[in-house]
Amino acid sequence: MTGVPTWDQYMAPCLRALEDGQVKRSREIVQAAADLLGVTPEQRAIMIPSGQEQWVNRGNWALSYLARATAVERTARGRYRITDAGRDLLAKRPDRITEKDLRALSGDPNAPHTFKAFSAPGQSTPVAAVVADETSKLDPEEQIEAGVARIHADIADQLLKRILGQEPVFFEQAVLDLLMAMGFGGADGKATRTQLAGDGGIDGIVDQDALGLSRIYVQAKRYASDNVVGRPAIQAFVGALAGNQANQGVFITTSRFSAEATSFAQQVPTRIVLIDGERLTRLMIRYGVGVQVKRTVQLVEVDEDFFE
């Protein structure tokens, strides 16, 4: 399956969907454009991190850019109609419209507005040229999400390296801090790092209530990333849980688990959750353990109700 058409690939089909001159809703336009592009059911099922369908997101961005270029006009909330400039553009570029084509409209003396690139204060390079380059396959929102994902991947790598550079007790405490940050300690619970003789390696206990009536037993193994935690280690952990009359436990490692270990954990009656290094770092970033917020970027959109 090929990827979902890029945001700029939606522009010509969107104009074609409006060729009849009728005012149409954005969803109807994007739907028609997707049909013209042959977007498959599988492609329409793809979601972006914000929870929106990717094909809809890209189609909406195409409409947004067309409106800025005066190729379409917004007649009411979520409703668009093609303009004379849009008809001319479609006639010249019936198969593929690029951002460069939209910028060319700024030289049209008959256009009521111009398509302008926005520059940040003190920045000579237009933001639009960076965020929505015509060669990009991602719309602006997806580019932001992709950039954040790359940053998080780099942070995840740094986290594992820093953890491996610490003593084992540091990792054990970090794991308990993470579980508490995730809310497993409840409102009045607590997490205790412990080393019990003959327990099979229980490294911590999370009391989910003030009386300790509900407990999660934790094993934390700090291994190199190329190490594989096998089934014997999980069996030993299950035995340790049985020795403590426990019915739930979390096994966390900086490395990964073998397929046999994962299968065994799923089959035993005791509830065992396995967290490998990749998932561990994702959770640390999500719940703010071992990381701090450097900068918050706020995305805004026009408040349609304000203008009604």
Side-chain angles (χ1 to χ4, degrees):
M1 179 186 70
T2 58
V4 175
T6 57
W7 70 269
D8 56 324
Q9 287 177 314
Y10 272 92
M11 289 195 289
C14 281
L15 290 180
R16 197 169 294 120
L18 290 166
E19 266 190 300
D20 60 6
Q22 300 298 310
V23 175
K24 298 181 180 179
R25 293 181 179 275
S26 57
R27 180 79 185 201
E28 179 184 357
I29 300 167
V30 174
Q31 174 77 54
D35 292 342
L36 289 170
L37 288 167
V39 179
T40 66
E42 292 78 13
Q43 291 172 328
R44 297 181 195 226
I46 298 174
M47 310 291 283
I48 62 176
S50 65
Q52 187 182 37
E53 299 148 300
Q54 189 180 58
W55 68 277
V56 174
N57 182 265
R58 292 183 175 183
N60 285 338
W61 274 107
L63 276 176
S64 176
Y65 273 87
L66 288 169
R68 285 173 55 192
T70 69
V72 300
E73 62 176 337
R74 179 181 174 275
T75 62
R77 183 175 183 176
R79 295 175 182 269
Y80 296 87
R81 176 171 56 204
I82 194 170
T83 64
D84 289 340
R87 291 184 187 279
D88 292 341
L89 178 61
L90 184 60
K92 294 175 182 176
R93 301 284 292 177
D95 300 320
R96 180 72 178 267
I97 297 172
T98 67
E99 186 184 348
K100 183 178 180 180
D101 297 319
L102 298 187
R103 292 179 186 281
L105 290 182
S106 64
D108 183 354
N110 298 317
H113 301 288
T114 58
F115 179 77
K116 298 179 180 179
F118 299 101
S119 297
Q123 180 175 311
S124 59
T125 303
V127 172
V130 177
V131 176
D133 188 282
E134 66 181 13
T135 62
S136 173
K137 295 184 178 181
L138 305 178
D139 63 47
E141 186 175 343
E142 288 178 308
Q143 289 194 39
I144 292 173
E145 292 168 345
V148 171
R150 287 195 296 270
I151 292 172
H152 283 186
D154 180 63
I155 295 299
D157 183 62
Q158 292 184 48
L159 282 172
L160 283 179
K161 288 180 180 178
R162 295 294 292 270
I163 289 172
L164 292 173
Q166 301 292 327
E167 295 296 323
V169 292
F170 175 89
F171 179 52
E172 294 167 4
Q173 186 59 54
V175 162
L176 295 177
D177 291 343
L178 173 60
L179 292 174
M180 292 296 288
M182 293 173 68
F184 285 103
D188 301 309
K190 63 178 182 179
T192 305
R193 186 173 61 82
T194 181
Q195 289 293 334
L196 304 177
D199 62 4
I202 298 296
D203 298 311
I205 300 173
V206 177
D207 289 319
Q208 297 188 275
D209 57 81
L211 298 179
L213 295 176
S214 178
R215 287 183 164 181
I216 297 175
Y217 287 78
V218 182
Q219 185 165 108
K221 291 298 182 184
R222 190 190 58 138
Y223 293 132
S225 58
D226 58 351
N227 182 79
V228 179
V229 178
R231 173 170 171 164
I234 308 304
Q235 287 177 310
F237 183 47
V238 171
L241 293 176
N244 285 279
Q245 297 183 335
N247 59 7
Q248 54 188 358
V250 181
F251 194 120
I252 303 179
T253 181
T254 51
S255 59
R256 59 189 181 88
F257 298 96
S258 69
E260 293 79 9
T262 301
S263 177
F264 178 77
Q266 295 172 344
Q267 294 173 3
V268 295
T270 305
R271 175 60 174 159
I272 305 293
V273 174
L274 304 183
I275 299 178
D276 60 14
E278 181 181 351
R279 187 180 180 189
L280 169 65
T281 53
R282 288 203 309 267
L283 291 172
M284 291 180 69
I285 292 171
R286 178 178 177 182
Y287 291 96
V289 176
V291 299
Q292 59 182 355
V293 176
K294 180 178 181 181
R295 183 173 60 185
T296 300
V297 177
Q298 185 177 32
L299 297 181
V300 299
E301 63 180 5
V302 173
D303 183 355
E304 302 290 358
D305 293 332
F306 179 81
F307 296 95
E308 290 296 334

